[in-house]
Amino acid sequence: MSLMTRATWLGFENIPLKGGAIFAVNHLSHADPLLMAFYVYDSGRNPSFLGKASIFKIPVLGPIIQATGQIPVYRGTSDAVKSLHAAIGAVRSGQAVIIYPEGTTTRSPDLWPMRGKNGVARLALETGAPVIPIAQWGPQNLYNPITKKMRLRPRTPCVVKAGPAVDLSAWDGVEATASTLNEMTDTIMRAVAGLVGELRGEAPPPLYDPAARKNNKKA
């Protein structure tokens, strides 16, 4: 990553150096997790990602990922709840857990953040840990998830910025209903989108909703 990117780190003052924390990040490209790992490591924390369980089964790479404290995500199976429990345990033990609330690289044609899945809100409610919004811009120039174009050029400019913890006090002690979780998740993702807008020098549009776009096409 040092060879392939010319990285700029912003917002380290918003990264808590001790205690459990949840880092909510926009997902631009398959190239961006390594950038995020370096950002979090350089901030003074050890990065722990929620990642697809299949990655942990890759020869050589899988055992390394597991040994460095990453957390497998079991999608669409009866083991899915184990992912949340593992993340809760990690945060409660004082780890900084990196989560991509969108669940996948953005489907927005303009690469703006999408509406997130509510796992990040569940994690916040269960642990009470601060949710730090983090935005990144630039990894899409290494690999663009929309066009599927790869462009591996040395010293590609990339920038990452953390913002202040999201104010979720309105939901202190409330029941984790679907409505509550969706509201919390949208609040977190709007904070992330606001930071992305700062990096792009643009006002962010409403959170992209791929489900609504799909339904509109059917109609």
Side-chain angles (χ1 to χ4, degrees), residues 17-215:
L17 296 180
K18 294 182 180 179
I22 303 163
F23 296 159
V25 190
N26 66 310
H27 201 358
L28 280 168
S29 166
H30 299 301
D32 67 46
L34 281 176
L35 186 73
M36 274 307 307
F38 273 102
Y39 176 83
V40 172
Y41 183 80
D42 282 350
S43 77
R45 299 301 302 258
N46 188 54
S48 294
F49 283 89
L50 289 172
K52 294 179 182 178
S54 58
I55 299 174
F56 290 73
K57 299 177 182 179
I58 298 174
V60 182
L61 179 61
I64 293 174
I65 291 173
Q66 187 168 9
T68 55
Q70 310 315 305
I71 303 167
V73 174
Y74 302 92
R75 292 181 178 171
T77 71
S78 58
D79 288 332
V81 70
K82 292 182 181 179
S83 304
L84 178 61
H85 290 164
I88 291 171
V91 172
R92 286 178 174 169
S93 70
Q95 294 184 46
V97 173
I98 302 167
I99 184 168
Y100 290 103
E102 296 159 287
T104 186
T105 53
T106 181
R107 299 294 185 257
S108 164
D110 297 318
L111 300 178
W112 286 102
M114 301 189 293
R115 294 194 70 190
K117 301 183 185 302
N118 61 27
V120 65
R122 289 184 182 276
L123 187 56
L125 276 180
E126 288 285 343
T127 63
V131 177
I132 309 299
I134 302 180
Q136 52 188 337
W137 189 248
Q140 76 281 359
N141 292 322
L142 295 171
Y143 178 78
N144 189 305
I146 304 299
T147 64
K148 309 298 183 185
K149 289 183 178 180
M150 186 176 292
R151 187 185 180 200
L152 298 180
R153 291 190 176 182
R155 309 293 289 165
T156 296
C158 294
V159 60
V160 181
K161 181 177 183 178
V166 182
D167 183 4
L168 299 174
S169 59
W171 295 281
D172 286 347
V174 302
E175 183 182 355
T177 63
S179 176
T180 293
L181 294 172
N182 288 336
E183 289 174 4
M184 290 179 68
T185 303
D186 282 351
T187 298
I188 292 167
M189 288 308 302
R190 281 194 292 267
V192 174
L195 290 172
V196 174
E198 291 179 22
L199 299 184
R200 296 177 60 163
E202 304 174 52
L207 295 173
Y208 184 79
D209 189 342
R213 182 181 176 88
K214 185 175 181 180
N215 290 335

